[in-house]
Amino acid sequence: MTTAKTNDKTSEPREIRRKLGLNQQQFWSKIGVTQSGGSRYESGRNMPRPVRELLRLVHVEQIDIQRIKREDVDIVDYLKSEDPDLYKTLKKAAKAKRKAG
């Protein structure tokens, strides 16, 4: 039995991996998990929350976590708190660009 909610986007890692067309080695190594560890998660073993979050960021949200820097997160946090309207405008523009590209 897994603790992941049934509506959790990461509750079916095998399905996510197959949709991306990756083998276990390719899929799991991107988030620092061995192929054998990933195989156990795909077979139903409880996935720790940090692993689920990395899976979500890398394979569901398609974020290249190697490119994220602390200062980027700090800028986003600052913008959210100091100028929420500008943050919302930039977020909409980025989403539109992502959909167009």
Side-chain angles (χ1 to χ4, degrees):
M1 182 175 172
T2 180
T3 58
K5 298 174 187 169
T6 54
N7 63 353
D8 183 349
K9 291 180 182 179
T10 62
S11 63
E12 296 293 333
R14 179 180 287 134
E15 283 303 309
I16 296 168
R17 180 176 61 77
R18 287 181 176 164
K19 285 180 183 174
L20 293 171
L22 300 174
N23 66 37
Q24 287 182 336
Q25 175 66 33
Q26 295 165 323
F27 182 83
W28 291 104
S29 67
K30 285 187 175 187
I31 60 171
V33 174
T34 63
Q35 179 275 324
S36 61
S39 177
R40 287 191 292 272
Y41 296 141
E42 289 185 18
S43 297
R45 179 178 240 171
N46 190 29
M47 198 181 325
R49 185 172 180 208
V51 174
R52 275 198 323 269
E53 286 301 307
L54 283 171
L55 190 153
R56 182 184 63 79
L57 288 171
V58 172
H59 293 302
V60 176
E61 301 292 338
Q62 298 288 303
I63 294 173
D64 181 353
I65 58 174
Q66 304 234 344
R67 294 180 52 200
I68 299 173
K69 303 214 178 330
R70 178 69 217 177
E71 68 183 23
D72 298 332
V73 174
D74 291 343
I75 291 167
V76 170
D77 288 343
Y78 175 82
L79 193 55
K80 278 180 175 178
S81 67
E82 298 300 316
D83 196 339
D85 291 334
L86 178 57
Y87 172 78
K88 288 175 187 173
T89 300
L90 292 171
K91 185 177 173 183
K92 285 179 186 175
K95 187 175 182 178
K97 182 178 180 184
R98 189 170 58 243
K99 284 184 178 181

